[in-house]
Amino acid sequence: MGNRDEDEDEDLQMALRMSLHGSLQEPKRSRSVITEEFEEARERRLQREIRAAAAEKRMSVMRKTPAFVPMMEDGKGKGVVEAPEPEARKLESANRSTFTGVAKLERKNEAGYANLGVGLSTGLTNRLFTVLFGSDLWNTILARWSNQGIRFSHDAETSIGLVQLEGGPCGVLAAIQAFVLKYLIYLPEKLNNTAFGISQPNLNQRKLLPDPQNKLDSLINANEDIKKRALILSMTEILFSCGGKKRAAVATLNILGDHSDDGSEDIKKDEILSKALEGFTLTSASELQKVLRVAMYTSESSVFERLMKDLPVFQSRMGATLFLISALLSRGLDSIQADRDDPSLPLVTAPFGHASQEIVNLLLCGHAAPNVFDDNMDLGGGMSLKGIPGNVEVGFLTLLESLNFCKVGQYLKCPRWPIWVVGSESHYTVLFALDSSVQDENVHEARQSLIRRTFNSHDGSGGGGFIAVEALNKVLKETNIIMPPEKINDVCNAGYVVWSDFWQVLTELDTSLGGMKDSNAQVVGNKEFEIFHFNGIAKSVSNGISGNTPVQRPRLCKLFVSVPPVWTQDEYITESSSSNNTNSSEVNQIWSPQYAPLVDCIRTRWPRAVCHWEGDSPSIV
C-alpha cells in the first residue's frame, strides 16, 4: 500500500512538473548509463533537482491556494489557471482523478513522442475503459469502435458529410457533423482566416451567400482546406465545451514515431498509421494503455494546433474513439459520473454498441446529462433527474418524442443555429437549414411558445403535459392571461391541469384577455422553407438512371416543409389522429405531402408540418 502511495505521489509530481515547465521530464536513467556518461548525467541530475525544488515550492503554494488548479501545459506557458470558488475544488478533483495516474514514458519513446502527451496509469485506464464500455465486454462493440475514423465522404454529392462505416459511433460523428455544418454554413469567415479564432458573429449576419440558389452548391463544393478547418474548429469547440471552456484534453496514439510532429504530409501519416494499426485490436484496457497518450491544454489555439497536426490520427480507424476519450477526459471522469442519473451503466450501450444519450449530450452541451428536457427535474427528498443545463449552439430532435417516450426541452429544440442531431431508436443523423429564418416566429407563434414554455416550467413530470392546480395561478400571472372563473374550474376539475385542456381554453379566449383568439387579425399563411437531412452511413441510393443498380453511399436529402399557422384544438386533435395523412386540406402548395419517420421528428419542432422530397425517402436508420 505504501509503495502505491509513493508511486502516485511521484506521478503527481511528474504531472505538475510538466505543467509548470512545458515539457515531459526525462525518466530516470539506469546506473550503467550514468557510469558511461557521468558528466552529462550529473548536469541533468542537477537540473532535475533544481526543477523539482521549484515544483515542490509551487506545490506548497497551491495547497494553500485552492482556487488554483494544476493543468497540463497549454503551449503558452500557462501551466496553472485560476478558477473561481466553488468551481475550483470541483475542477481540482476532476483534474487530479484524471491525471494523477500519469504513467512514466519509456526511454525509447521519449524522443519521438515527447509532444504527444503522457500515458495513463493502469488504474485510470481501467476506469476509463469501464466507464466507456462496461465490464461485460462485447467484441463486436469494440470492433465497431476501433474501426471508425472521422473522415469526409468521397462522394461528390455528400462531400460535406462525415462518412460512417458501421453502426455504433454515429452519435459521435453526428455531433461533430452538426458543428461542422455550423461553421460551413453560418461562420464561413472563420474558414478563410488562417489565424485561429472561434468568436461568434452578430446573429443578424448569418447568411451563407447573397444568392440563395447557390447556397447548396457552394456548400457541397467547399474545398478540402475549408472542410478541414471547419472540422478542426468543431472538434476544438466541442472539447473546450466539455472542459467548461477552461481546458481540453487531446487523446492521441504513440505510433507515428518521429513523424508525429515533423510537418510530414497527411497522406504519409495516413500510410504510417494504417500500417501500424494493422495488428492492433482494441480488446482490453491494457491494449488501449499501450498506445494512448493524453495532453491537457488551457488555450483553444493550442488545441487547434494539436488537432491540426494530429488530424491523420483522428482520421484513422481509432479516430471516433480517441475523440470521445478526449471529450471524457476534458470533462473529467468524476464530473462525467456526477452528470449521470445511473453511473453504473456504460456509456456505450450493449448489445449493438450505440452511443448513449449521455455521449450525445456531452458533445452538444458539455455535460453528460442522460435526459433531454431543460434543466434538472426535482423529485423531492434531495433527488433529481439531470437535464440540459442551458442554451446550446446546435440542437437535438428525436423520434422517441413523437412516440411519447420523452420530451425534448426548448434548449435542444431551439438551438442558436438551425442544426439538429436527429435520434431514432438505433441511429443518429443530422437535420439542418441553410437559412436561420426557419426559426423565426410570428406574433402568434411567439405567444404560443411563451405560454408553453411557462407551462412547462411548472410541469414537474418532465414534459408529461400537466401541472398542479396550485401552479395554474402562477402560469396565468407570468403570461398575463385573464381567465374567467368558470374556465379555471373547467381546466382544474381533474385535480390537475392538462396542457391540451388549457390550450383549448386559450384558443377560445380573446387576445385582449391574453388568449389566442383574434377575429380581427389577418389570416397568417403557411410558413414554407427548405431543410436538409444527412445520413452518414452508406445507404442504397438510386442513381437516376432507369434500370441501373442502386449505389451505396451516404445520403443527403432536401425536404420542402410547409407549417400551417396557429390552430384550434379541434384541428390539432384531427391532425394528430392521422399524422400519416398526406391529403391535408389546409396545404395549398403545388407539391404533394409525403411521409417518412423523419417527418415525425420534424413535427416535434414544427407541429403539423407537412413535407415533400424528390427521389429516395430520407432515412433516419
Side-chain angles (χ1 to χ4, degrees):
M1 186 71 177
N3 291 338
R4 192 172 79 175
D5 291 340
E6 292 175 4
D7 290 342
E8 290 180 352
D9 289 342
E10 185 177 352
D11 288 339
L12 175 58
Q13 291 184 32
M14 181 183 291
L16 287 171
R17 286 200 295 271
M18 287 185 288
S19 71
L20 295 172
H21 297 284
S23 62
L24 295 175
Q25 304 301 311
E26 294 191 53
K28 297 178 180 178
R29 306 175 68 188
S30 67
R31 293 181 180 274
S32 61
V33 174
I34 293 176
T35 302
E36 294 173 4
E37 304 175 8
F38 177 79
E39 292 299 327
E40 180 184 358
R42 184 174 63 178
E43 177 65 23
R44 291 186 178 182
R45 186 165 58 252
L46 178 61
Q47 293 296 323
R48 285 200 300 272
E49 290 173 355
I50 293 173
R51 289 195 292 266
E56 192 171 319
K57 182 177 180 180
R58 296 182 192 186
M59 286 173 64
S60 177
V61 173
M62 281 190 232
R63 293 190 192 101
K64 298 177 182 179
T65 313
F68 285 86
V69 184
M71 290 286 184
M72 301 301 293
E73 180 60 48
D74 73 345
K76 291 189 175 181
K78 297 180 181 178
V80 180
V81 296
E82 189 170 357
E85 290 285 7
E87 287 299 312
R89 293 185 183 277
K90 181 179 178 182
L91 288 173
E92 183 174 14
S93 174
N95 211 32
R96 283 176 180 269
S97 69
T98 301
F99 287 99
T100 54
V102 176
K104 301 181 183 73
L105 293 176
E106 296 181 12
R107 176 66 176 169
K108 64 181 181 179
N109 290 341
E110 183 180 337
Y113 310 143
N115 293 324
L116 290 180
V118 294
L120 302 182
S121 69
T122 300
L124 179 56
T125 310
N126 286 339
R127 186 185 180 205
L128 171 65
F129 201 81
T130 301
V131 168
L132 194 52
F133 297 110
S135 55
D136 297 326
L137 300 179
W138 297 61
N139 289 336
T140 53
I141 291 178
L142 295 176
R144 290 177 178 181
W145 280 87
S146 58
N147 191 40
Q148 182 61 66
I150 304 174
R151 287 180 175 271
F152 286 102
S153 169
H154 294 300
D155 176 65
E157 294 183 16
T158 57
S159 60
I160 59 167
L162 301 177
V163 64
Q164 183 183 346
L165 301 178
E166 298 183 68
C170 53
V172 174
L173 294 180
I176 299 173
Q177 178 74 72
F179 279 89
V180 168
L181 290 168
K182 164 190 161 179
Y183 282 98
L184 289 174
I185 299 170
Y186 295 106
L187 303 177
E189 69 278 4
K190 301 296 181 185
L191 307 180
N192 294 313
N193 186 358
T194 56
F196 172 80
I198 59 173
S199 60
Q200 304 297 347
N202 188 306
L203 288 181
N204 293 324
Q205 300 173 348
R206 305 192 289 186
K207 306 300 181 181
L208 177 67
L209 286 173
D211 182 2
Q213 298 298 324
N214 295 328
K215 285 184 177 181
L216 184 60
D217 290 341
S218 297
L219 188 64
I220 291 176
N221 294 325
N223 65 49
E224 294 302 317
D225 288 339
I226 292 294
K227 293 190 296 183
K228 178 179 178 180
R229 185 172 174 82
L231 176 59
I232 299 300
L233 284 170
S234 299
M235 295 167 69
T236 300
E237 181 176 355
I238 292 171
L239 293 182
F240 253 86
S241 174
C242 294
K245 302 188 185 302
K246 294 179 176 67
R247 66 187 187 277
V250 177
T252 187
L253 302 175
N254 68 349
I255 57 178
L256 270 178
D258 294 335
H259 302 284
S260 63
D261 204 19
D262 63 359
S264 300
E265 293 183 2
D266 287 351
I267 296 178
K268 182 178 180 181
K269 292 180 180 179
D270 277 343
E271 295 173 353
I272 296 171
L273 280 163
S274 297
K275 185 174 182 180
L277 286 172
E278 281 180 359
F280 176 76
T281 55
L282 180 61
T283 57
S284 64
S286 60
E287 291 297 323
L288 180 63
Q289 185 185 19
K290 292 176 184 177
V291 298
L292 186 65
R293 295 294 179 268
V294 181
M296 185 74 85
Y297 300 89
T298 57
S299 77
E300 291 169 302
S301 59
S302 297
V303 175
F304 180 87
E305 293 168 3
R306 178 77 268 167
L307 292 173
M308 186 68 76
K309 292 174 182 177
D310 281 357
L311 184 58
V313 178
F314 289 96
Q315 291 175 326
S316 76
R317 63 182 179 88
M318 284 293 293
T321 298
L322 288 172
F323 185 77
L324 178 54
I325 290 174
S326 299
L328 295 176
L329 296 181
S330 295
R331 177 69 176 148
L333 295 185
D334 286 347
S335 296
I336 291 290
Q337 296 297 72
D339 289 341
R340 309 174 66 197
D341 290 337
D342 187 354
S344 65
L345 298 175
L347 291 171
V348 174
T349 61
F352 302 110
H354 298 134
S356 62
Q357 190 66 52
E358 289 103 321
I359 289 177
V360 176
N361 286 347
L362 173 66
L363 302 182
L364 294 183
C365 74
H367 289 71
N371 303 295
V372 291
F373 49 71
D374 293 344
D375 305 312
N376 293 345
M377 184 193 304
D378 186 6
L379 300 178
M383 299 180 62
S384 65
L385 297 177
K386 302 176 182 69
I388 306 302
N391 295 317
V392 295
E393 292 289 298
V394 297
F396 179 78
L397 303 174
T398 175
L399 182 65
L400 298 181
E401 181 176 6
S402 70
L403 300 174
N404 294 320
F405 285 110
C406 67
K407 177 66 178 179
V408 179
Q410 292 299 109
Y411 292 149
L412 289 176
K413 195 167 286 184
C414 301
R416 183 174 191 177
W417 310 102
I419 305 168
W420 297 266
V421 172
V422 176
S424 67
E425 301 98 325
S426 60
H427 189 44
Y428 295 100
T429 54
V430 180
L431 186 74
F432 63 97
L434 300 179
D435 190 334
S436 60
S437 66
V438 302
Q439 297 212 99
D440 293 345
E441 295 180 320
N442 60 37
V443 175
H444 295 285
E445 291 170 329
R447 178 65 178 161
Q448 179 192 345
S449 295
L450 172 62
I451 295 173
R452 185 63 199 255
R453 193 161 53 244
T454 305
F455 188 95
N456 288 346
S457 70
H458 295 280
D459 185 351
S461 66
F466 59 89
I467 61 174
V469 170
E470 295 77 13
L472 177 60
N473 285 333
K474 294 180 181 179
V475 173
L476 297 178
K477 183 178 180 180
E478 292 171 14
T479 54
N480 296 316
I481 296 173
I482 303 174
M483 186 175 289
E486 64 274 15
K487 295 296 184 182
I488 293 179
N489 292 334
D490 289 342
V491 298
C492 295
N493 61 11
Y496 49 85
V497 181
V498 180
W499 165 255
S500 58
D501 295 338
F502 181 66
W503 180 248
Q504 175 67 55
V505 171
L506 292 185
T507 59
E508 300 169 353
L509 189 66
D510 194 81
T511 54
S512 62
L513 300 176
M516 302 300 296
K517 184 178 181 180
D518 188 357
S519 56
N520 297 322
Q522 286 185 333
V523 176
V524 180
N526 290 5
K527 174 192 290 186
E528 297 185 346
F529 55 88
E530 295 178 354
I531 202 163
F532 297 81
H533 179 256
F534 176 74
N535 188 342
I537 200 164
K539 293 287 181 180
S540 295
V541 181
S542 59
N543 56 19
I545 302 176
S546 178
N548 284 13
T549 303
V551 296
Q552 292 284 325
R553 67 184 186 194
R555 184 181 296 175
L556 179 65
C557 180
K558 179 168 70 173
L559 297 93
F560 303 92
V561 181
S562 180
V563 183
V566 65
W567 58 87
T568 66
Q569 181 63 20
D570 289 339
E571 290 171 332
Y572 175 74
I573 293 174
T574 301
E575 178 63 24
S576 298
S577 66
S578 57
S579 61
N580 296 357
N581 181 16
T582 60
N583 295 312
S584 173
S585 60
E586 291 184 304
V587 178
N588 299 317
Q589 62 272 21
I590 60 174
W591 41 262
S592 300
Q594 296 170 290
Y595 175 77
L598 177 62
V599 176
D600 287 333
C601 298
I602 293 173
R603 285 175 177 168
T604 65
R605 173 60 182 84
W606 294 280
R608 298 182 69 226
V610 290
C611 304
H612 174 82
W613 53 87
E614 297 178 358
D616 299 295
S617 299
S619 172
I620 59 175
V621 297

